[in-house]
Amino acid sequence: MNAIIYTSNTGSTAYYAKALSLETGLPAYSMAEADKKVQKGAEIIYLGWLMVGAVQGYAAAAKQYDICGVCAVGMGRCGTQTEEVRRKNHIPESIPLFTLQGNFDIKKLHGIYRFMMNIMVKTAGKALAEKQDRTADEEDMLDMMQNGSGRVKTANLRPVLEWYEQLK
């Protein structure tokens, strides 16, 4: 394994990439940095943020590097939505996929992303708030929409680190 490459929007994915770098000893680079510092075809772990189930930057990274593992950072709880994310992004079954929960702060979003998430919070948030029998996942999603932060933790990387250790 040669590097960790990531695409981040509000900082959650960058935090995970840097924390993973500290734990593994692999260098972490944003996609822009990687273009200059990581050889094409290198074995990498890719981290990207989720937007409507799409792992941002994954397709471009897959064209340039040998992706050995993927971490998708979104609003859902860690370990959820993996089948949907795998299917939507055409991530082969042979590549381990980990979903990690990021923080949510509308103020850190820009342009169309802020506009889209404001609509989502108003519509989905209102529907969740009015729902009587919310599941644990729905409770967590509502809390995230209302309070947003505190979801990114190095401990969330434990499954990724266990997988990485098995490769050695």
Side-chain angles (χ1 to χ4, degrees):
M1 195 83 59
N2 303 102
I4 296 163
I5 298 177
Y6 66 93
T7 301
S8 189
N9 188 22
T10 63
S12 295
T13 308
Y15 174 91
Y16 280 127
K18 291 170 186 171
L20 190 58
S21 174
L22 286 174
E23 294 290 328
T24 62
L26 294 171
Y29 303 108
S30 69
M31 275 291 282
E33 294 170 322
D35 283 342
K36 297 175 184 111
K37 297 184 178 189
V38 181
Q39 186 175 27
K40 304 299 180 227
E43 291 185 340
I44 68 158
I45 300 171
Y46 182 75
L47 286 77
W49 60 281
L50 286 170
M51 184 175 70
V52 195
V55 181
Q56 300 304 296
Y58 171 76
K63 289 178 185 173
Q64 296 181 59
Y65 306 105
D66 181 4
I67 298 179
C68 299
V70 175
C71 297
V73 180
M75 291 179 69
R77 294 195 305 178
C78 294
T80 63
Q81 305 170 322
T82 54
E83 290 179 27
E84 174 191 336
V85 171
R86 185 177 298 283
R87 185 175 53 254
K88 185 162 191 166
N89 295 277
H90 308 287
I91 299 170
E93 288 290 332
S94 60
I95 298 176
L97 170 64
F98 306 92
T99 54
L100 305 170
Q101 192 171 36
N103 292 326
F104 179 70
D105 185 352
I106 284 184
K107 295 176 194 119
K108 287 187 176 181
L109 296 172
H110 304 284
I112 190 71
Y113 302 123
R114 180 182 277 189
F115 175 75
M116 289 170 45
M117 292 309 288
N118 268 320
I119 291 171
M120 193 268 305
V121 167
K122 287 178 184 168
T123 57
K126 182 180 178 191
L128 277 177
E130 293 172 353
K131 188 174 179 184
Q132 297 299 312
D133 56 342
R134 290 186 291 268
T135 66
D137 284 344
E138 290 169 335
E139 284 287 347
D140 188 61
M141 186 64 68
L142 180 60
D143 181 60
M144 177 172 258
M145 286 181 205
Q146 294 173 338
N147 303 310
S149 61
R151 301 304 200 282
V152 175
K153 298 177 177 98
T154 303
N156 293 343
L157 290 169
R158 187 177 357 234
V160 183
L161 292 168
E162 288 171 1
W163 161 75
Y164 181 76
E165 287 300 316
Q166 291 177 358
L167 296 177
K168 291 182 174 181

